[in-house]
Amino acid sequence: MKLLSPHLLGIEPLTPDEITLILDTAVGFSSIATREIKKVPTLRGKTVVNFFVEPSTRTRSSFELAEKRLSADSLNFSTSTSSLVKGETLLDTLRNLEAMAPDFIVIRHGEAGAPHFLAKHGRTPIINAGDGAHEHPTQALLDAFTIRQHKGALSGLKVAIVGDILHSRVARSNVHLLVKMGAEVVLCGPPTLLPAGGKTLGAAVTHRMDAAIEGADVVMMLRIQLERMSGGFFPTLREYAAFYGLNADRLKRAAKDAIVMHPGPINRGVEIMGDVADGEASVILDQVTNGVAVRMAVLYLLAGGDRDAVAQER
């Protein structure tokens, strides 16, 4: 089985079988991080352009590592080092990049739909590394990989996603993925930070955090995205932490073997307390580790790779 599209633009277009294919393929790549020589020749001769128009530490580093471990050549540039600052349009940037014949373009952009625009007007496979508040597909895939790693499956789990849902592309992609894969998803946050008009994509909604995490198998905390807020969405950070911050006492309401997740970067003392972020239930660093294997799997499959051939590649 192979992916149906030459691009990865979001979780919404993927079928459950495609999601399972990516997660299963990532299993084969995850052991490479434990080897003395952390590299395979799979994408030797391929060139990947990492075009990050928004700041990023984890996602950009993770993609770069994934490309290097597959032996691909990487070209990295951001807004400050591109001709966008001189007034060049995104389409002209794409055409100039394609004139140098890259094999993939990984893009992060502050505007929702930018990766879809490039996919529509270009000929190079596009990988969405986060577009505005729309989607962040590889984050959702690595989250699913981490959940499956600790829980064995996704179907039947209760997953509470708490925080700034309104501005979160991570929440949107995770809801698409988890609902498709048979999990029960509960979204929780202040009324001002939840989607209006019932746009919850099949997830339940509550404003009460204790109810959201009651019996939850997975508690996924989200960062307050102050940079995307143009007004007062809640009175103070201190009050937000009191009502929606995850502390050790509140975590006791979740299942005994619940795991705690966060896509980062963390605002310690706001959406999650330090002892929980560093506690036994936390799998936050596992998410970071697994991101490399998942992105290797995405690049490999988009290049036409076959899941069953991963063992030979290793």
Side-chain angles (χ1 to χ4, degrees):
M1 180 185 174
K2 296 187 177 182
L3 297 178
L4 299 176
S5 169
H7 313 283
L8 179 65
L9 302 179
I11 295 297
E12 188 175 11
L14 295 180
T15 67
D17 285 344
E18 288 181 292
I19 292 169
T20 300
L21 172 65
I22 295 171
L23 301 183
D24 288 348
T25 304
V27 173
F29 284 120
S30 61
S31 64
I32 291 175
T34 64
R35 295 175 11 175
E36 183 176 352
I37 298 176
K38 302 177 180 60
K39 184 171 279 195
V40 291
T42 310
L43 293 190
R44 181 179 293 159
K46 301 288 186 182
T47 303
V48 184
V49 172
N50 297 309
F51 182 23
F52 278 65
V53 186
E54 264 194 343
S56 171
T57 301
R58 267 164 294 274
T59 303
R60 181 170 177 163
S61 302
S62 184
F63 266 110
E64 283 188 51
L65 268 179
E67 293 151 15
K68 292 181 189 305
R69 288 182 181 172
L70 291 170
S71 300
D73 297 312
S74 300
L75 172 65
N76 304 301
F77 71 101
S78 58
T79 306
S80 60
T81 58
S82 78
S83 291
L84 288 174
V85 296
K86 301 177 182 176
E88 185 175 71
T89 67
L90 187 59
L91 183 56
D92 280 339
T93 300
L94 171 66
R95 287 170 174 163
N96 280 280
L97 286 174
E98 289 194 325
M100 293 180 268
D103 295 286
F104 299 98
I105 296 176
V106 179
I107 181 170
R108 167 169 287 194
H109 202 288
E111 296 297 327
H116 304 71
F117 175 82
L118 297 186
K120 179 179 179 181
H121 293 283
R123 59 179 182 276
T124 307
I126 302 294
I127 300 173
N128 182 359
D131 61 325
H134 180 224
E135 280 227 41
H136 194 345
T138 55
Q139 179 68 46
L141 288 163
L142 74 88
D143 289 343
F145 184 92
T146 305
I147 293 171
R148 208 174 70 161
Q149 185 180 58
H150 288 271
K151 297 294 181 183
L154 299 171
S155 179
L157 297 178
K158 177 181 177 180
V159 182
I161 303 178
V162 183
D164 184 358
I165 309 294
L166 181 65
H167 300 101
S168 177
R169 54 196 173 208
V170 173
R172 187 179 178 85
S173 285
N174 265 298
V175 172
H176 277 307
L177 189 152
L178 292 166
V179 170
K180 282 185 183 188
M181 302 305 286
E184 172 193 357
V185 182
V186 181
L187 301 176
C188 177
T192 51
L193 292 178
L194 287 171
K199 296 178 180 177
T200 57
L201 310 172
V205 174
T206 179
H207 306 311
R208 296 176 54 241
M209 185 169 176
D210 287 348
I213 66 174
E214 187 72 41
D217 302 288
V218 179
V219 181
M220 186 181 297
M221 303 303 299
L222 300 176
R223 182 175 66 89
I224 292 295
Q225 300 190 44
L226 295 173
E227 73 276 13
R228 296 185 189 277
M229 298 181 187
S230 56
F233 284 77
F234 48 85
T236 64
L237 288 176
R238 184 174 181 179
E239 185 168 324
Y240 179 88
F243 282 93
Y244 296 103
L246 183 62
N247 57 40
D249 282 341
R250 190 166 269 158
L251 182 59
K252 291 176 183 174
R253 292 181 174 273
K256 284 188 176 180
D257 60 346
I259 58 174
V260 174
M261 309 181 77
H262 193 303
I266 294 173
N267 291 314
R268 288 176 181 259
V270 180
E271 68 263 8
I272 188 169
M273 304 306 120
D275 59 338
V276 177
D278 301 326
E280 292 184 358
S282 173
V283 297
I284 294 171
L285 293 180
D286 290 348
Q287 292 174 263
V288 179
T289 300
N290 293 333
V292 178
V294 166
R295 288 168 177 127
M296 289 173 75
V298 168
L299 287 162
Y300 172 77
L301 290 169
L302 290 178
D306 184 89
R307 175 187 57 192
D308 298 331
V310 173
Q312 297 176 12
E313 298 284 349
R314 293 162 56 200

